[in-house]
Amino acid sequence: MIASTRFSVLDRSRTREGHDAPRALRDTVDLAREAEALGFHRFWVSEHHGVPGVAGSAPTVLAAAVAAATSTIRVGTGGVMLPNHRPLVVAEQFGVLASLFPGRIDMGLGRSVGFTDGVRRALGHGKEDAEDFPGRLAELLGWIDGTQQAHPRVHAHPAEGLHIPAYVLAIGEGASVAAAAGLPLVIGDLRGRDKVLRAIEVYRRDFRPSARAERPEVIVAGTVAVADTEEAARRLLVPEAWAMAYSRTHGDFPPLAPAERVEALTMTPKERSLYEQGLEGHVYGTEDQVAARLEQAIGETGADEVLVTTSTYDREALVDSLRRLARIARPPVRADERDPGLGPVSHAAGSPRAATGTDA
């Protein structure tokens, strides 16, 4: 199943101890170059406002920088939080991106609002704006398709008439929004497998074919860490697990700390419990272990694509993890599988990857 599944990368531009937010954004661009060189299908960036540990606050701006630094990989947002923006402005921004980088831009859209009341007030939007996500989504697509009627004689230039693939990011009920709109579904994460499976079932059951998608398409997002030993792969998860535990006990999301410093900390019982929970359920291990666990996850979800969202302090280890994952996704051709007249036989023949030639 792995050989017929696309693999992509989402980077949240997490800050790290000793490295400021501008460095985190440059790290994201550097990681995109690595992902492209390794043959991953797409590279997405995220939107967070007022979160100290995350530098990515302007996803379309960052996507432009990523697209400019790469040449073949698809680039997009995972995602733009539509309740925070006017649909016209979002359409215009993606129109500019799609015009500058034709055939490479993805428009991933979510329904989340600001993390705190203060952030929501600063953005000028409240939780009620998330309730109108289906309406805002329909308006946005109408601006691009040229079918919106709410604002006569107003057009979204240069977006109108362009082909800009749209994706709905969902947890739970958002799957129904994607199904009703006839759009691909991006859902996570792999840890909450039962909840994800229920949402995917609803999505496939209720999917309405549209001009943008004739059939359901599922992209499953989650943390994947690969190293030479299972313990080394687990240690890649430590910085993010501690950051999440700290945020839930102190109300502040810290920069990622080195794994060795986290492991030396004296934690309260609550911190320890949350930290241990943060290490559970992810896909990690050696290449053989991760291959087996991915086969199981893909088999259970029927995913068309896996969107890897791993965050860690050690960027070199992160790149090594992606390199190992690329080997899993594109296993070497054995000598007995070679056709003397045609050269190496592709493991991905007939898969989505075979059509692009560059996907991991």
Side-chain angles (χ1 to χ4, degrees), residues 46-338:
S46 61
E47 175 181 340
H48 296 275
H49 298 282
V51 181
V54 184
S57 57
T60 54
V61 177
L62 185 53
V66 168
T70 55
S71 58
T72 58
I73 195 168
R74 297 196 64 85
V75 176
T77 56
V80 165
M81 296 299 116
L82 199 49
N84 294 335
H85 312 280
R86 295 298 303 174
L88 170 62
V89 175
V90 175
E92 291 171 336
Q93 290 174 349
F94 277 97
V96 171
L97 283 171
S99 298
L100 293 173
F101 309 101
R104 295 178 57 207
I105 299 301
D106 300 324
M107 183 171 63
L109 305 162
R111 68 186 296 272
S112 296
V113 291
F115 185 62
T116 65
D117 288 339
V119 171
R120 288 191 287 271
R121 286 193 296 270
L123 290 169
H125 296 282
K127 293 182 178 180
E128 66 280 0
D129 292 298
E131 302 304 317
D132 190 35
F133 179 60
R136 288 172 177 262
L137 176 62
E139 181 184 339
L140 171 58
L141 298 179
W143 285 116
I144 296 171
D145 298 339
T147 59
Q148 73 82 26
Q149 301 296 322
H151 305 277
R153 297 184 298 279
V154 180
H155 300 271
H157 300 303
E160 187 174 304
L162 295 181
H163 175 64
I164 307 174
Y167 301 79
V168 173
L169 280 65
I171 298 176
E173 65 187 49
S176 297
V177 176
L183 294 176
L185 172 70
V186 184
I187 189 164
D189 62 28
L190 289 168
R191 290 195 301 167
R193 194 71 57 83
D194 290 341
K195 183 177 180 180
V196 166
L197 292 177
R198 288 194 298 271
I200 290 174
E201 181 181 5
V202 169
Y203 168 70
R204 290 199 173 107
R205 182 195 68 200
D206 297 341
F207 182 82
R208 300 176 185 175
S210 69
R212 292 176 174 270
E214 296 181 353
R215 65 171 186 85
E217 179 181 346
V218 175
I219 301 175
V220 175
T223 296
V224 180
V226 198
D228 57 352
T229 67
E230 186 174 21
E231 180 58 28
R234 184 180 183 274
R235 294 188 83 240
L236 285 173
L237 311 178
V238 164
E240 184 73 17
W242 169 244
M244 293 299 295
Y246 188 92
S247 70
R248 293 180 63 182
T249 52
H250 295 77
D252 183 32
F253 203 64
L256 298 176
E260 57 270 19
R261 192 176 78 75
V262 174
E263 291 171 335
L265 290 172
T266 300
M267 301 182 192
T268 67
K270 184 175 183 180
E271 288 173 341
R272 174 65 63 179
S273 175
L274 291 170
Y275 168 68
E276 295 292 344
Q277 291 175 29
L279 293 171
E280 296 173 356
H282 301 292
V283 175
Y284 69 91
T286 64
E287 291 179 35
D288 287 343
Q289 290 172 325
V290 168
R293 290 162 186 169
L294 284 174
E295 284 281 352
Q296 179 181 357
I298 294 167
E300 291 177 354
T301 62
D304 299 282
E305 184 172 333
V306 175
L307 183 64
V308 178
T309 62
T310 311
S311 296
T312 192
Y313 178 86
D314 188 338
R315 299 295 283 194
E316 290 185 6
L318 176 59
V319 171
D320 180 67
S321 176
L322 292 179
R323 186 176 297 116
R324 293 172 183 273
L325 177 59
R327 285 203 294 263
I328 294 169
R330 297 184 301 174
V333 178
R334 299 192 307 270
D336 61 355
E337 292 179 313
R338 296 178 184 272

